[in-house]
Amino acid sequence: MLLVGLGAVATTTIAGVYAIRKGLAPPIGSLTQMGTIRLGKRSEARAPKINEFVPLADLNDIVFGGWDIFEEDCYAAARTAGVLEPAQLEAVRGELEAVKPMPAVFDQRYVKRLDGPNVKKGKNKRDLAEQVIADIRAFKEKHGCDRLVMIWTGSTEVFMKQTAVHATIASFEKGLEASDDAIPSSMIYAYAALREGIPFANAAPNLTADVPAMLELAANTKAPLAGNDMKTGQTLIKTIIAPGLKARLIGVKGWYSTNILGNRDGEVLDDPESFKTKEESKKSALDYIFQPHLYPELYKDLHHVVRINYYPPRGDNKEGWDNIDIVGWLGYPMQLKINFLCRDSILAAPIVLDSALFLDLAKRAGMAGIQEWLSFYFKAPMHAPEVYPEHDLFIQLMKLKNTLRYMMGEELITHLGREYYD
């Protein structure tokens, strides 16, 4: 598994996998490791674990590598991130110290609050992409890997929109030669992965692989894609609560969300241009869940506000506050108050693992391009241009499990249930 950015999320993922392999901790939060899947009728009581139903890669077979702008190994990086307790890190210290970052493709124009010395140099962005490809091939050979998966776990880049350079592979490669400003670092990694036919997921809200050129390249090399922006804290809660309110046709007048966090992600998001990228990702979910064009009386005038505040004393222990102004029978106002004290990287780590394992499965199953069935894990899911993205967490889970049933030739489950009563 190749991770771009060995910060808090990546190091927590890597340390967690090593700890689970040693039997030191359970894989809580991982659908691939703890989840079950119902097969056939409810009366048949067939519910194997997912990792016993589909041929997922075994945790013992995973090798980690990655790139970072800082030179410290994964153990030192995890100590710096401050997510896991020192005793937990000591238990897997040898494994973590063996993971040393390769020099990264990095341009501070796209992540203004960070800078580091472990950075590649090249005559243009095409040269940098070729260096990443060389890294991928060398890593695969050195570790004897049969297959690779790449996940962007780096920081949020500044807000960007598609331009002509993103239209085709040819225009994109011309842009690489010219070091076009519309090609951020994350796109260089996505291009390198897809060139090699490697599955790629974007764990941040950047404009990265969700452009026509990347989709064309993924189709050509039969590489699966997923993203964007992993659904961890506050947005996870929104995609749990909002479908319930909509299901009961309870109106929502306002949804105010604010966060305080003090990790590197918080520092990066303190820059307005990076925050704009995150804001767009976090705000889109409610519009698609509530469908105000279908329910104007209930949701047309919804005021949705998102704030993120960098507060260093919190470190990785994020706190999210939600105030939800709801409307019930005969127009009577009510409120929901949610205070979620969470550990962002602890919530993200099992998602990184699951995304990698499922993307690897998709590659072996011949499923190229956008993997919409993995929307379950993302705030701003990739989707075909002619359809809206599905944000309802429970519909997303049904889609994911039905895709696994489809892969294995099992009957898809509609939850109609008439067969028990007819």
Side-chain angles (χ1 to χ4, degrees):
M1 185 191 304
L2 291 167
L3 301 173
V4 186
L6 297 184
V9 170
T11 56
T12 303
T13 303
I14 296 169
V17 170
Y18 285 133
I20 292 162
R21 278 161 50 160
K22 287 186 167 185
L24 301 176
I28 294 173
S30 170
L31 190 66
T32 63
Q33 304 306 303
M34 300 190 80
T36 62
I37 183 167
R38 179 191 135 199
L39 304 177
K41 297 178 181 179
R42 277 183 284 163
S43 55
E44 296 176 20
R46 297 167 60 209
K49 290 185 68 175
I50 287 173
N51 61 8
E52 295 171 353
F53 174 60
V54 293
L56 297 174
D58 189 275
L59 295 192
N60 291 303
D61 295 331
I62 297 176
V63 180
F64 291 100
W67 299 263
D68 199 87
I69 64 173
F70 300 105
E71 297 170 322
E72 56 190 12
D73 62 46
C74 194
Y75 172 77
R79 289 294 299 263
T80 300
V83 178
L84 301 177
E85 295 296 327
Q88 288 179 307
L89 294 177
E90 287 300 323
V92 292
R93 180 170 182 166
E95 293 90 338
L96 295 179
E97 287 180 334
V99 181
K100 302 180 188 298
M102 295 173 276
V105 174
F106 179 76
D107 187 329
Q108 199 177 24
R109 291 178 299 168
Y110 304 107
V111 184
K112 296 182 178 179
R113 298 296 171 94
L114 291 185
D115 197 12
N118 197 35
V119 176
K120 293 185 185 300
K121 305 295 183 184
K123 62 181 182 181
N124 55 31
K125 292 182 178 181
R126 180 62 178 264
D127 183 19
L128 294 174
E130 296 298 337
Q131 290 182 46
V132 173
I133 291 171
D135 287 345
I136 291 169
R137 293 174 178 174
F139 179 88
K140 186 175 183 181
E141 181 178 357
K142 176 181 177 181
H143 295 282
C145 298
D146 294 322
R147 306 180 304 275
L148 298 175
V149 174
M150 184 189 293
I151 299 183
W152 172 275
T153 52
S155 297
T156 300
E157 295 172 328
V158 298
F159 182 72
M160 301 185 72
K161 293 184 177 181
Q162 287 188 32
T163 69
V165 77
H166 305 130
T168 65
I169 297 173
S171 63
F172 187 83
E173 290 180 340
K174 185 177 179 181
L176 286 173
E177 294 280 356
S179 293
D180 195 297
D181 289 342
I183 300 177
S185 305
S186 62
M187 279 190 187
I188 294 173
Y189 281 102
Y191 171 81
L194 298 178
R195 265 266 308 272
E196 295 296 286
I198 296 172
F200 180 88
N202 179 20
N206 319 323
L207 183 68
T208 298
D210 204 357
V211 296
M214 297 299 176
L215 299 180
E216 181 186 355
L217 186 56
N220 289 352
T221 62
K222 310 299 182 188
L225 282 172
N228 299 294
D229 202 7
M230 287 185 166
K231 182 160 47 181
T232 52
Q234 195 169 58
T235 306
L236 172 63
I237 297 301
K238 285 182 178 179
T239 59
I240 293 171
I241 299 297
L245 296 173
K246 182 189 174 187
R248 292 294 298 269
L249 296 177
I250 293 172
V252 180
K253 285 295 184 184
W255 197 310
Y256 181 88
S257 300
T258 189
N259 301 262
I260 55 174
L261 72 162
N263 59 11
R264 188 180 294 171
D265 193 34
E267 183 179 6
V268 168
L269 294 175
D270 207 34
D271 170 56
E273 292 186 70
S274 289
F275 171 71
K276 174 68 173 174
T277 307
K278 176 68 76 171
E279 182 184 34
E280 292 295 315
S281 172
K282 288 173 73 70
K283 291 184 74 171
S284 63
L286 290 187
D287 289 337
Y288 288 111
I289 290 172
F290 286 136
Q291 296 178 299
H293 61 291
L294 298 179
Y295 301 93
E297 307 96 321
L298 299 176
Y299 309 117
K300 182 173 67 71
D301 297 322
L302 169 65
H303 295 278
H304 186 197
V305 178
V306 176
R307 297 285 184 266
I308 298 176
N309 299 289
Y310 178 48
Y311 183 57
R314 277 302 165 90
D316 197 65
N317 297 326
K318 184 170 75 173
E319 184 166 358
W321 301 313
D322 286 270
N323 174 81
I324 311 164
D325 287 285
I326 62 178
V327 181
W329 183 248
L330 303 180
Y332 276 76
M334 297 173 282
Q335 286 189 342
L336 284 172
K337 306 280 190 182
I338 301 171
N339 188 18
F340 188 21
L341 286 82
C342 63
R343 294 172 179 255
D344 229 25
S345 298
I346 294 295
L347 292 168
I351 298 179
V352 173
L353 174 63
D354 283 0
S355 296
L357 294 179
F358 279 140
L359 282 170
D360 175 61
L361 178 68
K363 173 72 175 182
R364 287 182 282 133
M367 299 171 66
I370 295 171
Q371 304 299 302
E372 193 183 350
W373 61 287
L374 297 181
S375 295
F376 180 68
Y377 295 112
F378 296 97
K379 290 187 183 80
M382 294 180 70
H383 58 95
E386 65 270 19
V387 298
Y388 65 85
E390 184 55 70
H391 281 273
D392 184 316
L393 185 77
F394 306 100
I395 295 176
Q396 290 174 334
L397 183 59
M398 287 172 59
K399 180 189 288 285
L400 187 155
K401 290 191 173 183
N402 262 341
T403 302
L404 298 179
R405 295 182 186 106
Y406 170 80
M407 283 183 182
M408 302 305 292
E410 284 280 344
E411 181 181 358
L412 305 188
I413 291 179
T414 66
H415 300 282
L416 178 63
R418 285 305 312 166
E419 64 271 22
Y420 308 115
Y421 305 100
D422 290 338

